[in-house]
Amino acid sequence: MKIKALDVEKLITERLLLIPYTINICEEILNNDYTSLISMGLKTSQNWPDEDVLETLPRIINNLESVEEQTGFESWMIVKKETLEVIGDLGFKGFNFEENNADIGYGIIKEERRKGYAEEAVKELINWAFLNRFLKEITAKCLIGNVNSINLLTKFNFLRIKTDHEMIYWTLKNENFVHKKKITER
């Protein structure tokens, strides 16, 4: 079984653009170089990239290096359409072929939280991911005290599968997600 190469340049929501990271973009950001982002018309926001992003970029690079071609089951930048500022990221840690699942994670810079951006981005990415016929479930985890993530995951019908002293672990089966309806013009 092979996941097909990513065939979209970006995902678009009402207020956001979701743009896949590339190895080159990640390496540039780590070197405080934004040439590729600028050439794409994107801007860094005042507090992006933050420490969380800089800590995550090496893992994103490893995930991208482990695939022949981008599949979309890697990481995406979250960009505000109105300003073209990057305000966070979300994505998967790759596709788990043994379990036919993918683990999702997301983060928004502090100044842009509690405005619905995470919900909008996560909904779009989950909807896109479940279009892949091989994907049976999406998993997630969050800190026990992260009320915002708990609420978001619950809103999308993720079910708690276990809790340890630090984290809550979640699962979402394809059939439990309310998909965005595609409208085709004739």
Side-chain angles (χ1 to χ4, degrees):
M1 173 173 65
K2 183 177 178 181
I3 302 296
K4 68 179 185 169
L6 182 63
D7 61 355
V8 295
E9 196 174 291
K10 62 188 161 217
L11 299 175
I12 302 169
T13 71
E14 183 181 333
R15 302 178 298 159
L16 302 172
L17 303 172
L18 306 180
I19 300 173
Y21 275 106
T22 63
I23 292 172
N24 184 56
I25 288 171
C26 293
E27 289 174 344
E28 284 182 1
I29 294 168
L30 285 170
N31 290 312
N32 205 28
D33 175 4
Y34 304 102
T35 305
S36 291
L37 294 180
I38 293 167
S39 70
M40 296 166 65
L42 304 179
K43 305 171 191 163
T44 60
S45 59
Q46 184 176 357
N47 294 306
W48 188 94
D50 61 12
E51 277 185 47
D52 289 341
V53 171
L54 295 174
E55 184 180 299
T56 303
L57 286 172
R59 289 192 297 268
I60 293 172
I61 291 169
N62 285 338
N63 288 342
L64 288 168
E65 287 176 340
S66 71
V67 294
E68 292 175 26
E69 301 176 90
Q70 285 183 284
T71 65
F73 288 97
E74 298 83 32
S75 294
W76 303 66
M77 294 177 283
I78 301 172
V79 179
K80 286 172 52 175
K81 273 199 310 196
E82 185 178 316
T83 62
L84 295 178
E85 291 175 288
V86 182
I87 60 166
D89 57 63
L90 81 160
F92 300 102
K93 298 165 185 130
F95 190 91
N96 179 336
F97 288 96
E98 290 177 19
E99 303 288 332
N100 290 337
N101 68 15
D103 192 59
I104 195 168
Y106 47 88
I108 302 285
I109 59 170
K110 190 175 187 177
E111 297 73 22
E112 297 294 346
R113 292 180 190 156
R114 302 187 57 79
K115 297 179 182 179
Y117 293 128
E119 179 180 344
E120 193 172 325
V122 168
K123 183 176 183 178
E124 184 68 19
L125 190 62
I126 289 172
N127 192 69
W128 171 86
F130 276 143
L131 293 175
N132 184 306
R133 63 187 171 97
F134 298 120
L135 185 66
K136 302 287 187 240
E137 79 174 325
I138 295 175
T139 59
K141 63 184 173 202
C142 68
L143 292 169
I144 289 173
N146 189 339
V147 175
N148 292 333
S149 278
I150 292 168
N151 291 340
L152 179 66
L153 294 168
T154 302
K155 185 174 200 163
F156 288 127
N157 295 322
F158 276 81
L159 300 173
R160 291 181 192 218
I161 51 176
K162 77 176 186 179
T163 303
D164 62 24
H165 65 283
E166 194 176 309
M167 305 293 282
I168 303 171
Y169 299 84
W170 305 82
T171 183
L172 176 65
K173 304 287 186 195
N174 194 337
E175 63 268 14
N176 294 333
F177 179 71
V178 179
H179 294 272
K180 178 172 69 175
K181 293 184 172 56
K182 300 275 184 188
I183 299 172
T184 55
E185 295 181 11
R186 296 182 191 257

